Amino acid sequence: MDSFMEAQTRRAGELMEGFIGQTLNFYENIKREDVFRKADGAAISRLLEKGVPQKGRPVDEVYREMMDDVYANTSLVQHPRCFACIPSPVSLFSWMGDVMTNAFDPHAGCAMNASAASCIERELIRWMCGLAGYPAGSGGLFVSGGSMANLTALTAARDARLTEAERTLAVAYVSDQTHSSIAKGLHIIGFRADQVRKIPSDANFRMDMEALRAAVRADLAAGRKPFAVIATAGTTNTGSVDPLPEIAGICRSYGMWMHVDGAFGASILLSQNERKRLDGIEYSDSLSWDAHKWLRQTYGCSMALVRDQSHLVRSFAVHPEYLTDAGAFNEAPDFWDLGPELTRPARSLKLWITLQVMGSEAMGQMIDHGCAMARLAEELIRRYPGWEIVSTARLGIVNFRCAPANIPPSRIDRLNQDIAREVTDSGYAQILTTELNGKRVLRMCTLHPETTEEDIRNTVRLLCESRAASRGQCRTA
């Protein structure tokens, strides 16, 4: 290493030491930060002008550019007033786990390379399978996100329920509220769009059971092969949970695989107050679960769980000659035999650290708090004339809109988008819209354990008393 690079390496260490303290201070004062932070044209131009240099640059310059032009211009989904999408209320313990794990960079594909990390991942998978009510012989692995967890489970479903000859006749069933990653996953593993049936949802945005039964019967009569139903535990739009016991019964009757997309909602299995909403999940064949949604993890921490782990082995295990010695190290299947990744990071360690410090009981209380904040938001919104609740508070999500009688329906959608944009641009909170029953609605997702009643009251006030709402005559009583 030449003298320039030696000096840069030493300086990088010094910068990293300072970065830890700076970041801790940032998190302690995060409520002073704007939630929505967008790079201006000057910052984008500076980044694009740099390109990839032939010769290295001083690390101080690069560090400052990253802090000023990249990280400072990122929306804070970990902010207590980020109510858009499914926010990620990150714990510092998870971040600590990220820093430590990335520093040592374990290869978590097999037990030989990371024996202790593999032990932890197996223990967490066993614990989560137990929470889901899965029996002995269940298993799974950590993956990058809900999309990959769904893809992994659907691959196992295809191989367990279909011969290769049956694949062109196969049909999978989703609802009109199912996450888009399901359709994407089915496409990736070889299914055409016409092999995916979209079942309408009921008044509570849950999959309609009579419509599902009718669709299955119609496909059987047409000579098709129903092979899987994808239920949702916590839809992105409304937090609704599909009728899991009824879906399980239908799947048993027709020999179909039952997958539950629990990326968001499966975490309520840790709550004493809310877990009953997932009754019936124990009958499913597979489950996706994102720890980076409600278990306070940084991104890239999800699980694919299956009732019978041998289905994953059947779909993913390969035994090339260069893995022979590593595979002989461990009697149980290695994680590279349970999913699509060969080289994989140790994603479970940060969740393990978080649970060791916080305990599962505190996690459950945090989830209960998020649900309570959504109920409070609903209660407050109901006090404003000209506003309506479109979907009541479920799993920390509530949908509503400004809909005064004097405004033509054609203008109400735009009005609500203007309200969301005004509050988001203020920096105080981030609110986005979605569409339910053909209506553009405002949506609040209140998962953060540090979101206070004051945060909810102020955000609702900003929405209901915004300039856009005033123009639409949606005012306080």
Side-chain angles (χ1 to χ4, degrees):
M1 185 182 296
D2 59 34
S3 58
F4 172 79
M5 197 54 63
E6 287 180 355
Q8 297 307 296
T9 300
R10 286 194 300 272
R11 181 57 181 151
E14 294 169 358
L15 289 169
M16 290 167 67
E17 288 180 0
F19 174 78
I20 298 294
Q22 184 177 350
T23 305
L24 289 172
N25 183 68
F26 169 81
Y27 272 98
E28 288 173 1
N29 297 282
I30 194 170
K31 281 196 173 184
R32 299 178 185 174
E33 300 287 334
D34 288 349
V35 183
F36 178 64
R37 311 188 307 177
K38 181 181 178 181
D40 59 21
I44 296 297
S45 295
R46 286 193 296 271
L47 292 171
L48 294 179
E49 286 170 2
K50 293 294 183 297
V52 177
Q54 287 188 327
K55 301 291 186 179
R57 299 167 52 217
V59 68
D60 283 89
E61 288 183 15
V62 177
Y63 175 84
R64 183 48 50 199
E65 287 169 4
M66 294 299 294
M67 294 298 289
D68 291 347
D69 290 343
V70 179
Y71 303 124
N73 295 314
T74 301
S75 290
L76 298 178
V77 295
Q78 68 271 47
H79 195 291
R81 292 191 299 273
C82 179
F83 302 124
C85 302
I86 305 288
S88 179
V90 173
S91 165
L92 282 177
F93 306 123
S94 178
W95 179 58
M96 181 177 79
D98 251 344
V99 172
M100 295 172 68
T101 303
N102 288 336
F104 291 99
D105 199 25
H107 182 302
C110 66
M112 186 184 77
N113 285 340
S115 55
S118 290
C119 171
I120 284 174
E121 183 162 348
R122 292 186 198 283
E123 175 61 16
L124 282 174
I125 292 294
R126 184 202 63 76
W127 176 67
M128 290 177 154
C129 283
L131 288 173
Y134 282 0
S138 59
L141 76 167
F142 278 71
V143 294
S144 59
S147 296
M148 186 56 69
N150 288 329
L151 175 65
T152 301
L154 291 171
T155 303
R158 179 198 64 188
D159 297 344
R161 293 293 187 267
L162 301 171
T163 65
E164 288 196 16
E166 291 174 325
R167 290 184 186 181
T168 58
L169 300 174
V171 181
Y173 302 87
V174 302
S175 87
D176 58 15
Q177 296 298 306
T178 299
H179 194 271
S180 60
S181 64
I182 296 295
K184 184 184 292 187
L186 288 167
H187 169 73
I188 291 171
I189 63 174
F191 294 101
R192 306 180 308 272
D194 66 291
Q195 292 179 274
V196 182
R197 296 281 175 274
K198 186 177 288 187
I199 306 301
S201 56
D202 61 19
N204 292 314
F205 302 98
R206 310 189 324 157
M207 187 184 292
D208 185 287
M209 292 297 94
E210 285 307 310
L212 174 61
R213 292 186 182 94
V216 172
R217 289 193 295 265
D219 283 323
L220 286 170
R224 302 184 185 95
K225 173 73 174 178
F227 90 99
V229 178
I230 294 86
T232 303
T235 60
T236 300
N237 274 338
T238 65
S240 300
V241 178
D242 286 330
L244 302 180
E246 291 89 338
I247 291 173
I250 293 170
C251 286
R252 283 196 300 269
S253 296
Y254 294 99
M256 292 187 289
W257 183 283
M258 178 183 174
H259 174 64
V260 176
D261 180 359
F264 158 48
S267 292
I268 66 168
L269 289 170
L270 277 73
S271 164
Q272 293 302 312
N273 296 337
E274 303 289 338
R275 63 170 294 136
K276 59 183 177 296
R277 295 179 181 272
L278 294 194
D279 285 352
I281 201 169
E282 65 273 16
Y283 303 125
S284 65
D285 295 290
S286 58
L287 168 66
S288 62
W289 186 346
D290 285 0
H292 59 233
K293 284 192 168 67
W294 217 346
L295 297 185
R296 305 208 65 186
Q297 300 306 292
T298 58
Y299 284 124
C301 191
S302 302
M303 293 74 68
L305 307 179
V306 290
R307 166 179 287 276
D308 183 346
Q309 185 172 263
S310 67
H311 290 305
L312 294 179
V313 176
R314 177 193 303 148
S315 292
F316 295 107
V318 293
H319 301 97
E321 69 281 359
Y322 46 80
L323 299 182
T324 300
D325 291 347
F329 182 85
N330 186 34
E331 291 185 6
D334 279 307
F335 288 113
W336 59 30
D337 291 325
L338 302 179
E341 294 175 300
L342 184 62
T343 303
R344 58 192 297 272
R347 298 184 178 97
S348 66
L349 300 186
K350 57 189 177 184
L351 177 59
W352 177 262
I353 289 171
T354 307
L355 287 166
Q356 293 300 311
V357 176
M358 293 182 62
S360 61
E361 183 177 304
M363 284 285 198
Q365 293 169 350
M366 172 194 73
I367 289 164
D368 291 340
H369 174 79
C371 293
M373 291 299 97
R375 290 193 294 269
L376 174 62
E378 178 183 346
E379 175 190 332
L380 295 170
I381 292 159
R382 290 187 183 278
R383 299 178 185 178
Y384 285 81
W387 289 77
E388 65 178 14
I389 300 297
V390 179
S391 175
T392 57
R394 301 186 190 96
L395 302 194
I397 297 176
V398 60
N399 289 271
F400 51 96
R401 68 176 190 155
C402 178
N406 63 304
I407 297 293
S410 59
R411 290 177 51 196
I412 290 178
D413 285 355
R414 178 60 182 271
L415 169 63
N416 284 277
Q417 288 176 310
D418 288 345
I419 293 170
R421 187 176 300 110
E422 181 180 331
V423 172
T424 294
D425 287 347
S426 75
Y428 182 81
Q430 186 172 32
I431 303 287
L432 297 179
T433 66
T434 189
E435 186 175 305
L436 294 174
N437 292 334
K439 301 175 180 178
R440 183 59 50 179
V441 301
L442 295 155
R443 176 182 169 280
M444 285 184 68
C445 185
T446 60
L447 306 189
H448 205 298
E450 294 171 20
T451 300
T452 64
E453 290 191 7
E454 181 183 14
D455 292 327
I456 297 296
R457 293 180 188 279
N458 286 340
T459 300
V460 170
R461 179 182 54 79
L462 285 173
L463 288 165
C464 296
E465 300 178 9
S466 62
R467 293 188 304 275
S470 296
R471 288 196 301 270
Q473 296 184 1
C474 282
R475 299 191 179 95
T476 182

